[in-house]
Amino acid sequence: MKLAAVSAGLTQPSSTRLLTDRLVEATVRAVGEEVEVEVEVVELRDLATEIANNFVTGFAGRALRTAQEAVTSADGLIAVTPIFTASYSGLFKSFFDVLDPEALEGKPTLIAATGGTPRHSLALEHALRPMFAYLHAVVAPTAVYAAAEDWGNDDGLPDRIRRAATELSGLMSHRAPAREERLVPFAEQLAALTREP
């Protein structure tokens, strides 16, 4: 099973990457030891130049292509962004803008964000969830927001992480295999209608 995690933190160390790592660990635990989980973490700060070049040229560089393939081929996705000006970061949005629009269709996805204050927690519901719904991802019901005050205490963040990871694990385990569709030519459809029973 493959799990991809996209972290849009800009600093090093980054609370966004810390939250990403905690969500990955919790998801791997929730999947269980009997299933091997291959994890690929995509650090968007390292891809900023290639993402910008992709907008200008229409072509993805090698590192960006590798990141896109990691996300596309994964059985589940964890997407984590810092909140800037009450929404996801521009770098986060830009990565998903240069991804194939159908790449996330049906993909189990956990959304999460970090911010300085709890007041920005609704950005998950008014910005991230609609974006991933537009991309036809299957978004876990629990979104995880970590404000600065959530770090270093056990008041709720660990429970939210555990709940969200369990939901993502369940979605990944029950993901329906891709269905191969066959286009039926119109003449064949018409012939089927005109045949006598």
Side-chain angles (χ1 to χ4, degrees):
M1 186 175 285
K2 292 182 179 179
L3 175 64
V6 173
S7 174
L10 297 178
T11 59
Q12 226 172 7
S14 158
S15 61
T16 302
R17 177 58 193 261
L18 179 60
L19 180 58
T20 302
D21 291 341
R22 293 219 179 147
L23 290 166
V24 165
E25 290 166 13
T27 303
V28 170
R29 266 196 313 276
V31 168
E33 293 178 3
E34 61 278 356
V35 179
E36 186 178 337
V37 181
E38 181 184 326
V39 177
E40 181 80 31
V41 178
V42 175
E43 280 276 9
L44 295 186
R45 67 187 299 276
D46 300 332
L47 299 171
T49 302
E50 286 199 26
I51 291 170
N53 286 340
N54 192 170
F55 276 113
V56 175
T57 65
F59 297 101
R62 182 178 294 135
L64 179 56
R65 270 196 322 271
T66 301
Q68 291 171 328
E69 287 166 13
V71 169
T72 302
S73 67
D75 298 298
L77 172 65
I78 295 172
V80 189
T81 181
I83 298 300
F84 295 147
T85 322
S87 189
Y88 39 65
S89 75
L91 181 60
F92 182 82
K93 177 68 162 59
S94 295
F95 175 75
F96 290 101
D97 283 344
V98 298
L99 196 64
D100 183 307
E102 297 177 2
L104 300 184
E105 192 163 336
K107 191 173 301 293
T109 302
L110 190 165
I111 57 174
T114 58
T117 170
R119 290 184 307 224
H120 295 302
S121 63
L122 283 178
L124 285 162
E125 302 303 326
H126 75 71
L128 270 77
R129 195 174 296 276
M131 182 183 88
F132 284 99
Y134 175 81
L135 294 170
H136 301 287
V138 178
V139 183
T142 300
V144 179
Y145 181 82
E149 63 199 47
D150 287 320
W151 300 106
N153 67 58
D154 294 331
D155 285 349
L157 182 59
D159 289 336
R160 293 194 306 273
I161 288 172
R162 197 165 29 254
R163 184 170 59 245
T166 301
E167 291 169 359
L168 179 61
S169 166
L171 290 170
M172 289 170 62
S173 299
H174 296 98
R175 185 176 184 192
R179 197 173 51 152
E180 191 173 311
E181 294 185 23
R182 181 178 86 82
L183 291 177
V184 180
F186 181 72
E188 191 177 321
Q189 292 179 26
L190 189 59
L193 290 173
T194 58
R195 273 190 233 129
E196 289 187 29

mmCIF file of all heavy atoms in Angstrom, residues 108-154:
data_model
loop_
_atom_site.group_PDB
_atom_site.id
_atom_site.type_symbol
_atom_site.label_atom_id
_atom_site.label_comp_id
_atom_site.label_asym_id
_atom_site.label_seq_id
_atom_site.Cartn_x
_atom_site.Cartn_y
_atom_site.Cartn_z
ATOM 1 N N PRO A 108 -8.521 8.473 -1.484
ATOM 2 C CA PRO A 108 -8.721 8.798 -0.073
ATOM 3 C C PRO A 108 -7.717 9.875 0.363
ATOM 4 O O PRO A 108 -6.521 9.743 0.131
ATOM 5 C CB PRO A 108 -8.441 7.468 0.639
ATOM 6 C CG PRO A 108 -8.727 6.430 -0.398
ATOM 7 C CD PRO A 108 -8.268 7.047 -1.686
ATOM 8 N N THR A 109 -8.227 10.934 0.966
ATOM 9 C CA THR A 109 -7.392 12.088 1.290
ATOM 10 C C THR A 109 -7.721 12.612 2.684
ATOM 11 O O THR A 109 -8.880 12.726 3.061
ATOM 12 C CB THR A 109 -7.611 13.211 0.249
ATOM 13 O OG1 THR A 109 -7.311 12.701 -1.052
ATOM 14 C CG2 THR A 109 -6.751 14.421 0.525
ATOM 15 N N LEU A 110 -6.666 12.927 3.422
ATOM 16 C CA LEU A 110 -6.804 13.546 4.741
ATOM 17 C C LEU A 110 -6.260 14.968 4.604
ATOM 18 O O LEU A 110 -5.147 15.155 4.127
ATOM 19 C CB LEU A 110 -5.987 12.745 5.758
ATOM 20 C CG LEU A 110 -6.143 13.059 7.247
ATOM 21 C CD1 LEU A 110 -5.539 11.928 8.057
ATOM 22 C CD2 LEU A 110 -5.493 14.359 7.646
ATOM 23 N N ILE A 111 -7.057 15.950 4.991
ATOM 24 C CA ILE A 111 -6.608 17.340 4.909
ATOM 25 C C ILE A 111 -6.252 17.855 6.294
ATOM 26 O O ILE A 111 -6.898 17.513 7.288
ATOM 27 C CB ILE A 111 -7.654 18.257 4.226
ATOM 28 C CG1 ILE A 111 -9.005 18.197 4.949
ATOM 29 C CG2 ILE A 111 -7.806 17.897 2.750
ATOM 30 C CD1 ILE A 111 -10.034 19.184 4.430
ATOM 31 N N ALA A 112 -5.199 18.673 6.348
ATOM 32 C CA ALA A 112 -4.743 19.213 7.627
ATOM 33 C C ALA A 112 -4.061 20.557 7.399
ATOM 34 O O ALA A 112 -3.647 20.866 6.272
ATOM 35 C CB ALA A 112 -3.783 18.235 8.294
ATOM 36 N N ALA A 113 -3.961 21.325 8.465
ATOM 37 C CA ALA A 113 -3.329 22.642 8.355
ATOM 38 C C ALA A 113 -2.751 23.067 9.693
ATOM 39 O O ALA A 113 -3.139 22.563 10.752
ATOM 40 C CB ALA A 113 -4.352 23.677 7.880
ATOM 41 N N THR A 114 -1.821 24.004 9.619
ATOM 42 C CA THR A 114 -1.221 24.606 10.806
ATOM 43 C C THR A 114 -1.421 26.110 10.742
ATOM 44 O O THR A 114 -1.547 26.684 9.657
ATOM 45 C CB THR A 114 0.285 24.296 10.890
ATOM 46 O OG1 THR A 114 0.924 24.773 9.701
ATOM 47 C CG2 THR A 114 0.543 22.809 11.050
ATOM 48 N N GLY A 115 -1.446 26.730 11.915
ATOM 49 C CA GLY A 115 -1.597 28.182 11.962
ATOM 50 C C GLY A 115 -1.243 28.708 13.330
ATOM 51 O O GLY A 115 -1.102 27.945 14.287
ATOM 52 N N GLY A 116 -1.136 30.009 13.417
ATOM 53 C CA GLY A 116 -0.746 30.626 14.676
ATOM 54 C C GLY A 116 -1.856 30.693 15.695
ATOM 55 O O GLY A 116 -1.615 30.727 16.893
ATOM 56 N N THR A 117 -3.089 30.701 15.222
ATOM 57 C CA THR A 117 -4.224 30.878 16.113
ATOM 58 C C THR A 117 -5.356 29.929 15.731
ATOM 59 O O THR A 117 -5.535 29.638 14.549
ATOM 60 C CB THR A 117 -4.727 32.339 16.077
ATOM 61 O OG1 THR A 117 -5.973 32.427 16.776
ATOM 62 C CG2 THR A 117 -4.950 32.821 14.657
ATOM 63 N N PRO A 118 -6.144 29.467 16.698
ATOM 64 C CA PRO A 118 -7.278 28.586 16.385
ATOM 65 C C PRO A 118 -8.338 29.248 15.507
ATOM 66 O O PRO A 118 -9.148 28.568 14.897
ATOM 67 C CB PRO A 118 -7.864 28.256 17.763
ATOM 68 C CG PRO A 118 -6.804 28.556 18.755
ATOM 69 C CD PRO A 118 -5.963 29.640 18.151
ATOM 70 N N ARG A 119 -8.326 30.584 15.425
ATOM 71 C CA ARG A 119 -9.344 31.291 14.637
ATOM 72 C C ARG A 119 -9.322 30.900 13.160
ATOM 73 O O ARG A 119 -10.305 31.084 12.460
ATOM 74 C CB ARG A 119 -9.162 32.795 14.759
ATOM 75 C CG ARG A 119 -9.505 33.334 16.135
ATOM 76 C CD ARG A 119 -9.384 34.822 16.144
ATOM 77 N NE ARG A 119 -8.061 35.213 15.656
ATOM 78 C CZ ARG A 119 -7.299 36.131 16.208
ATOM 79 N NH1 ARG A 119 -7.716 36.767 17.270
ATOM 80 N NH2 ARG A 119 -6.126 36.425 15.714
ATOM 81 N N HIS A 120 -8.191 30.367 12.671
ATOM 82 C CA HIS A 120 -8.101 30.032 11.247
ATOM 83 C C HIS A 120 -8.462 28.579 10.944
ATOM 84 O O HIS A 120 -8.322 28.130 9.810
ATOM 85 C CB HIS A 120 -6.688 30.319 10.736
ATOM 86 C CG HIS A 120 -6.322 31.764 10.777
ATOM 87 N ND1 HIS A 120 -7.052 32.734 10.124
ATOM 88 C CD2 HIS A 120 -5.309 32.407 11.397
ATOM 89 C CE1 HIS A 120 -6.502 33.913 10.340
ATOM 90 N NE2 HIS A 120 -5.448 33.744 11.122
ATOM 91 N N SER A 121 -8.953 27.855 11.941
ATOM 92 C CA SER A 121 -9.235 26.434 11.736
ATOM 93 C C SER A 121 -10.315 26.182 10.685
ATOM 94 O O SER A 121 -10.301 25.149 10.019
ATOM 95 C CB SER A 121 -9.633 25.774 13.060
ATOM 96 O OG SER A 121 -10.819 26.348 13.561
ATOM 97 N N LEU A 122 -11.229 27.117 10.506
ATOM 98 C CA LEU A 122 -12.298 26.914 9.524
ATOM 99 C C LEU A 122 -11.800 26.984 8.082
ATOM 100 O O LEU A 122 -12.531 26.634 7.158
ATOM 101 C CB LEU A 122 -13.431 27.923 9.742
ATOM 102 C CG LEU A 122 -14.338 27.592 10.917
ATOM 103 C CD1 LEU A 122 -15.396 28.671 11.093
ATOM 104 C CD2 LEU A 122 -15.000 26.235 10.740
ATOM 105 N N ALA A 123 -10.552 27.399 7.883
ATOM 106 C CA ALA A 123 -9.986 27.398 6.527
ATOM 107 C C ALA A 123 -10.000 25.986 5.939
ATOM 108 O O ALA A 123 -10.110 25.810 4.724
ATOM 109 C CB ALA A 123 -8.567 27.950 6.539
ATOM 110 N N LEU A 124 -9.911 24.979 6.798
ATOM 111 C CA LEU A 124 -9.989 23.598 6.319
ATOM 112 C C LEU A 124 -11.325 23.330 5.640
ATOM 113 O O LEU A 124 -11.385 22.638 4.620
ATOM 114 C CB LEU A 124 -9.801 22.624 7.485
ATOM 115 C CG LEU A 124 -8.378 22.484 8.002
ATOM 116 C CD1 LEU A 124 -8.372 21.864 9.387
ATOM 117 C CD2 LEU A 124 -7.545 21.657 7.046
ATOM 118 N N GLU A 125 -12.395 23.889 6.201
ATOM 119 C CA GLU A 125 -13.735 23.629 5.673
ATOM 120 C C GLU A 125 -14.131 24.564 4.532
ATOM 121 O O GLU A 125 -14.850 24.152 3.633
ATOM 122 C CB GLU A 125 -14.768 23.711 6.801
ATOM 123 C CG GLU A 125 -14.507 22.750 7.951
ATOM 124 C CD GLU A 125 -14.419 21.293 7.517
ATOM 125 O OE1 GLU A 125 -15.125 20.893 6.568
ATOM 126 O OE2 GLU A 125 -13.631 20.535 8.122
ATOM 127 N N HIS A 126 -13.662 25.818 4.574
ATOM 128 C CA HIS A 126 -14.099 26.736 3.519
ATOM 129 C C HIS A 126 -13.101 26.857 2.371
ATOM 130 O O HIS A 126 -13.415 27.424 1.322
ATOM 131 C CB HIS A 126 -14.470 28.114 4.071
ATOM 132 C CG HIS A 126 -13.307 28.977 4.463
ATOM 133 N ND1 HIS A 126 -12.452 29.549 3.557
ATOM 134 C CD2 HIS A 126 -12.874 29.380 5.677
ATOM 135 C CE1 HIS A 126 -11.538 30.260 4.191
ATOM 136 N NE2 HIS A 126 -11.766 30.164 5.481
ATOM 137 N N ALA A 127 -11.894 26.297 2.511
ATOM 138 C CA ALA A 127 -10.912 26.386 1.432
ATOM 139 C C ALA A 127 -10.421 25.011 0.979
ATOM 140 O O ALA A 127 -10.550 24.651 -0.190
ATOM 141 C CB ALA A 127 -9.729 27.255 1.870
ATOM 142 N N LEU A 128 -9.864 24.221 1.898
ATOM 143 C CA LEU A 128 -9.277 22.936 1.498
ATOM 144 C C LEU A 128 -10.324 21.911 1.072
ATOM 145 O O LEU A 128 -10.197 21.288 0.017
ATOM 146 C CB LEU A 128 -8.418 22.352 2.628
ATOM 147 C CG LEU A 128 -6.952 22.770 2.604
ATOM 148 C CD1 LEU A 128 -6.791 24.178 3.133
ATOM 149 C CD2 LEU A 128 -6.102 21.807 3.382
ATOM 150 N N ARG A 129 -11.354 21.717 1.888
ATOM 151 C CA ARG A 129 -12.341 20.685 1.555
ATOM 152 C C ARG A 129 -13.012 20.953 0.202
ATOM 153 O O ARG A 129 -13.132 20.030 -0.616
ATOM 154 C CB ARG A 129 -13.372 20.537 2.679
ATOM 155 C CG ARG A 129 -14.187 19.254 2.556
ATOM 156 C CD ARG A 129 -15.119 19.042 3.760
ATOM 157 N NE ARG A 129 -14.429 18.854 5.011
ATOM 158 C CZ ARG A 129 -13.939 17.699 5.442
ATOM 159 N NH1 ARG A 129 -14.056 16.619 4.697
ATOM 160 N NH2 ARG A 129 -13.345 17.610 6.608
ATOM 161 N N PRO A 130 -13.436 22.185 -0.102
ATOM 162 C CA PRO A 130 -14.023 22.424 -1.429
ATOM 163 C C PRO A 130 -13.042 22.168 -2.573
ATOM 164 O O PRO A 130 -13.428 21.651 -3.619
ATOM 165 C CB PRO A 130 -14.442 23.901 -1.384
ATOM 166 C CG PRO A 130 -14.613 24.197 0.057
ATOM 167 C CD PRO A 130 -13.598 23.363 0.779
ATOM 168 N N MET A 131 -11.757 22.513 -2.383
ATOM 169 C CA MET A 131 -10.780 22.282 -3.443
ATOM 170 C C MET A 131 -10.643 20.790 -3.730
ATOM 171 O O MET A 131 -10.649 20.357 -4.877
ATOM 172 C CB MET A 131 -9.418 22.869 -3.070
ATOM 173 C CG MET A 131 -8.373 22.688 -4.164
ATOM 174 S SD MET A 131 -6.741 23.310 -3.708
ATOM 175 C CE MET A 131 -6.040 21.876 -2.902
ATOM 176 N N PHE A 132 -10.518 19.975 -2.671
ATOM 177 C CA PHE A 132 -10.360 18.545 -2.882
ATOM 178 C C PHE A 132 -11.651 17.889 -3.362
ATOM 179 O O PHE A 132 -11.615 16.895 -4.087
ATOM 180 C CB PHE A 132 -9.800 17.872 -1.628
ATOM 181 C CG PHE A 132 -8.337 18.135 -1.456
ATOM 182 C CD1 PHE A 132 -7.880 19.112 -0.589
ATOM 183 C CD2 PHE A 132 -7.400 17.434 -2.208
ATOM 184 C CE1 PHE A 132 -6.522 19.376 -0.458
ATOM 185 C CE2 PHE A 132 -6.042 17.686 -2.083
ATOM 186 C CZ PHE A 132 -5.600 18.660 -1.207
ATOM 187 N N ALA A 133 -12.801 18.445 -2.990
ATOM 188 C CA ALA A 133 -14.074 17.952 -3.529
ATOM 189 C C ALA A 133 -14.130 18.233 -5.031
ATOM 190 O O ALA A 133 -14.563 17.386 -5.817
ATOM 191 C CB ALA A 133 -15.249 18.614 -2.814
ATOM 192 N N TYR A 134 -13.664 19.408 -5.433
ATOM 193 C CA TYR A 134 -13.624 19.759 -6.856
ATOM 194 C C TYR A 134 -12.734 18.781 -7.634
ATOM 195 O O TYR A 134 -13.029 18.418 -8.775
ATOM 196 C CB TYR A 134 -13.103 21.194 -7.033
ATOM 197 C CG TYR A 134 -12.920 21.589 -8.465
ATOM 198 C CD1 TYR A 134 -14.004 22.010 -9.231
ATOM 199 C CD2 TYR A 134 -11.667 21.522 -9.073
ATOM 200 C CE1 TYR A 134 -13.838 22.356 -10.566
ATOM 201 C CE2 TYR A 134 -11.494 21.863 -10.406
ATOM 202 C CZ TYR A 134 -12.587 22.275 -11.141
ATOM 203 O OH TYR A 134 -12.421 22.605 -12.465
ATOM 204 N N LEU A 135 -11.648 18.328 -7.003
ATOM 205 C CA LEU A 135 -10.727 17.383 -7.639
ATOM 206 C C LEU A 135 -11.213 15.933 -7.509
ATOM 207 O O LEU A 135 -10.518 15.008 -7.911
ATOM 208 C CB LEU A 135 -9.327 17.527 -7.027
ATOM 209 C CG LEU A 135 -8.642 18.871 -7.303
ATOM 210 C CD1 LEU A 135 -7.379 19.020 -6.466
ATOM 211 C CD2 LEU A 135 -8.332 19.031 -8.791
ATOM 212 N N HIS A 136 -12.409 15.741 -6.944
ATOM 213 C CA HIS A 136 -13.056 14.434 -6.797
ATOM 214 C C HIS A 136 -12.301 13.469 -5.887
ATOM 215 O O HIS A 136 -12.396 12.252 -6.042
ATOM 216 C CB HIS A 136 -13.314 13.780 -8.164
ATOM 217 C CG HIS A 136 -14.175 14.617 -9.057
ATOM 218 N ND1 HIS A 136 -15.521 14.767 -8.849
ATOM 219 C CD2 HIS A 136 -13.860 15.381 -10.131
ATOM 220 C CE1 HIS A 136 -16.014 15.575 -9.769
ATOM 221 N NE2 HIS A 136 -15.033 15.970 -10.554
ATOM 222 N N ALA A 137 -11.543 14.025 -4.936
ATOM 223 C CA ALA A 137 -10.908 13.181 -3.922
ATOM 224 C C ALA A 137 -11.983 12.762 -2.915
ATOM 225 O O ALA A 137 -13.012 13.427 -2.779
ATOM 226 C CB ALA A 137 -9.793 13.943 -3.214
ATOM 227 N N VAL A 138 -11.741 11.657 -2.225
ATOM 228 C CA VAL A 138 -12.641 11.225 -1.158
ATOM 229 C C VAL A 138 -11.995 11.692 0.146
ATOM 230 O O VAL A 138 -11.019 11.120 0.610
ATOM 231 C CB VAL A 138 -12.813 9.691 -1.161
ATOM 232 C CG1 VAL A 138 -13.705 9.257 -0.008
ATOM 233 C CG2 VAL A 138 -13.372 9.224 -2.488
ATOM 234 N N VAL A 139 -12.517 12.777 0.707
ATOM 235 C CA VAL A 139 -11.888 13.426 1.855
ATOM 236 C C VAL A 139 -12.419 12.839 3.164
ATOM 237 O O VAL A 139 -13.629 12.720 3.360
ATOM 238 C CB VAL A 139 -12.119 14.957 1.810
ATOM 239 C CG1 VAL A 139 -11.412 15.638 2.968
ATOM 240 C CG2 VAL A 139 -11.641 15.529 0.484
ATOM 241 N N ALA A 140 -11.484 12.466 4.036
ATOM 242 C CA ALA A 140 -11.854 11.926 5.344
ATOM 243 C C ALA A 140 -12.689 12.960 6.111
ATOM 244 O O ALA A 140 -12.434 14.165 6.010
ATOM 245 C CB ALA A 140 -10.595 11.575 6.140
ATOM 246 N N PRO A 141 -13.686 12.505 6.869
ATOM 247 C CA PRO A 141 -14.552 13.449 7.590
ATOM 248 C C PRO A 141 -13.806 14.346 8.569
ATOM 249 O O PRO A 141 -14.147 15.519 8.722
ATOM 250 C CB PRO A 141 -15.531 12.539 8.335
ATOM 251 C CG PRO A 141 -15.492 11.239 7.616
ATOM 252 C CD PRO A 141 -14.114 11.123 7.030
ATOM 253 N N THR A 142 -12.793 13.812 9.257
ATOM 254 C CA THR A 142 -12.073 14.606 10.248
ATOM 255 C C THR A 142 -10.889 15.302 9.597
ATOM 256 O O THR A 142 -10.002 14.654 9.041
ATOM 257 C CB THR A 142 -11.574 13.719 11.412
ATOM 258 O OG1 THR A 142 -12.705 13.099 12.026
ATOM 259 C CG2 THR A 142 -10.811 14.541 12.438
ATOM 260 N N ALA A 143 -10.888 16.629 9.660
ATOM 261 C CA ALA A 143 -9.744 17.432 9.217
ATOM 262 C C ALA A 143 -8.982 17.838 10.473
ATOM 263 O O ALA A 143 -9.576 18.030 11.533
ATOM 264 C CB ALA A 143 -10.224 18.656 8.455
ATOM 265 N N VAL A 144 -7.671 17.973 10.359
ATOM 266 C CA VAL A 144 -6.848 18.257 11.543
ATOM 267 C C VAL A 144 -6.215 19.637 11.413
ATOM 268 O O VAL A 144 -5.490 19.907 10.458
ATOM 269 C CB VAL A 144 -5.749 17.191 11.731
ATOM 270 C CG1 VAL A 144 -4.896 17.521 12.945
ATOM 271 C CG2 VAL A 144 -6.361 15.805 11.863
ATOM 272 N N TYR A 145 -6.495 20.475 12.395
ATOM 273 C CA TYR A 145 -5.888 21.805 12.449
ATOM 274 C C TYR A 145 -5.036 21.882 13.715
ATOM 275 O O TYR A 145 -5.498 21.501 14.796
ATOM 276 C CB TYR A 145 -6.956 22.903 12.475
ATOM 277 C CG TYR A 145 -6.364 24.289 12.498
ATOM 278 C CD1 TYR A 145 -5.934 24.901 11.328
ATOM 279 C CD2 TYR A 145 -6.214 24.980 13.696
ATOM 280 C CE1 TYR A 145 -5.376 26.173 11.348
ATOM 281 C CE2 TYR A 145 -5.651 26.244 13.728
ATOM 282 C CZ TYR A 145 -5.233 26.835 12.546
ATOM 283 O OH TYR A 145 -4.674 28.081 12.566
ATOM 284 N N ALA A 146 -3.819 22.360 13.575
ATOM 285 C CA ALA A 146 -2.936 22.515 14.738
ATOM 286 C C ALA A 146 -2.504 23.967 14.852
ATOM 287 O O ALA A 146 -1.772 24.479 14.010
ATOM 288 C CB ALA A 146 -1.712 21.607 14.595
ATOM 289 N N ALA A 147 -2.988 24.638 15.884
ATOM 290 C CA ALA A 147 -2.561 26.007 16.180
ATOM 291 C C ALA A 147 -1.281 25.935 17.012
ATOM 292 O O ALA A 147 -0.918 24.875 17.532
ATOM 293 C CB ALA A 147 -3.655 26.742 16.944
ATOM 294 N N ALA A 148 -0.613 27.064 17.153
ATOM 295 C CA ALA A 148 0.638 27.108 17.910
ATOM 296 C C ALA A 148 0.454 26.552 19.324
ATOM 297 O O ALA A 148 1.309 25.841 19.846
ATOM 298 C CB ALA A 148 1.167 28.537 17.950
ATOM 299 N N GLU A 149 -0.694 26.838 19.937
ATOM 300 C CA GLU A 149 -0.929 26.404 21.322
ATOM 301 C C GLU A 149 -1.215 24.903 21.449
ATOM 302 O O GLU A 149 -1.229 24.366 22.543
ATOM 303 C CB GLU A 149 -2.083 27.198 21.922
ATOM 304 C CG GLU A 149 -3.404 26.987 21.216
ATOM 305 C CD GLU A 149 -4.413 28.084 21.511
ATOM 306 O OE1 GLU A 149 -4.045 29.261 21.443
ATOM 307 O OE2 GLU A 149 -5.566 27.728 21.816
ATOM 308 N N ASP A 150 -1.471 24.214 20.321
ATOM 309 C CA ASP A 150 -1.746 22.775 20.366
ATOM 310 C C ASP A 150 -0.499 21.939 20.584
ATOM 311 O O ASP A 150 -0.584 20.784 21.008
ATOM 312 C CB ASP A 150 -2.417 22.310 19.071
ATOM 313 C CG ASP A 150 -3.857 22.773 18.982
ATOM 314 O OD1 ASP A 150 -4.559 22.745 20.007
ATOM 315 O OD2 ASP A 150 -4.274 23.179 17.879
ATOM 316 N N TRP A 151 0.666 22.507 20.272
ATOM 317 C CA TRP A 151 1.911 21.743 20.414
ATOM 318 C C TRP A 151 2.352 21.725 21.873
ATOM 319 O O TRP A 151 2.280 22.731 22.568
ATOM 320 C CB TRP A 151 3.018 22.335 19.537
ATOM 321 C CG TRP A 151 2.634 22.330 18.095
ATOM 322 C CD1 TRP A 151 2.256 23.400 17.337
ATOM 323 C CD2 TRP A 151 2.546 21.194 17.228
ATOM 324 N NE1 TRP A 151 1.955 23.006 16.064
ATOM 325 C CE2 TRP A 151 2.127 21.654 15.965
ATOM 326 C CE3 TRP A 151 2.790 19.840 17.401
ATOM 327 C CZ2 TRP A 151 1.947 20.804 14.874
ATOM 328 C CZ3 TRP A 151 2.611 18.987 16.327
ATOM 329 C CH2 TRP A 151 2.193 19.472 15.080
ATOM 330 N N GLY A 152 2.773 20.578 22.335
ATOM 331 C CA GLY A 152 3.291 20.473 23.688
ATOM 332 C C GLY A 152 2.252 20.180 24.737
ATOM 333 O O GLY A 152 2.540 20.174 25.923
ATOM 334 N N ASN A 153 0.985 19.962 24.322
ATOM 335 C CA ASN A 153 -0.013 19.535 25.304
ATOM 336 C C ASN A 153 -0.848 18.413 24.693
ATOM 337 O O ASN A 153 -0.831 18.202 23.485
ATOM 338 C CB ASN A 153 -0.886 20.712 25.773
ATOM 339 C CG ASN A 153 -1.775 21.258 24.675
ATOM 340 O OD1 ASN A 153 -2.585 20.527 24.114
ATOM 341 N ND2 ASN A 153 -1.637 22.539 24.361
ATOM 342 N N ASP A 154 -1.561 17.715 25.511
ATOM 343 C CA ASP A 154 -2.347 16.565 25.053
ATOM 344 C C ASP A 154 -3.841 16.846 25.098
ATOM 345 O O ASP A 154 -4.644 15.937 25.282
ATOM 346 C CB ASP A 154 -2.025 15.332 25.915
ATOM 347 C CG ASP A 154 -0.596 14.866 25.731
ATOM 348 O OD1 ASP A 154 -0.050 15.081 24.635
ATOM 349 O OD2 ASP A 154 -0.028 14.287 26.687
#
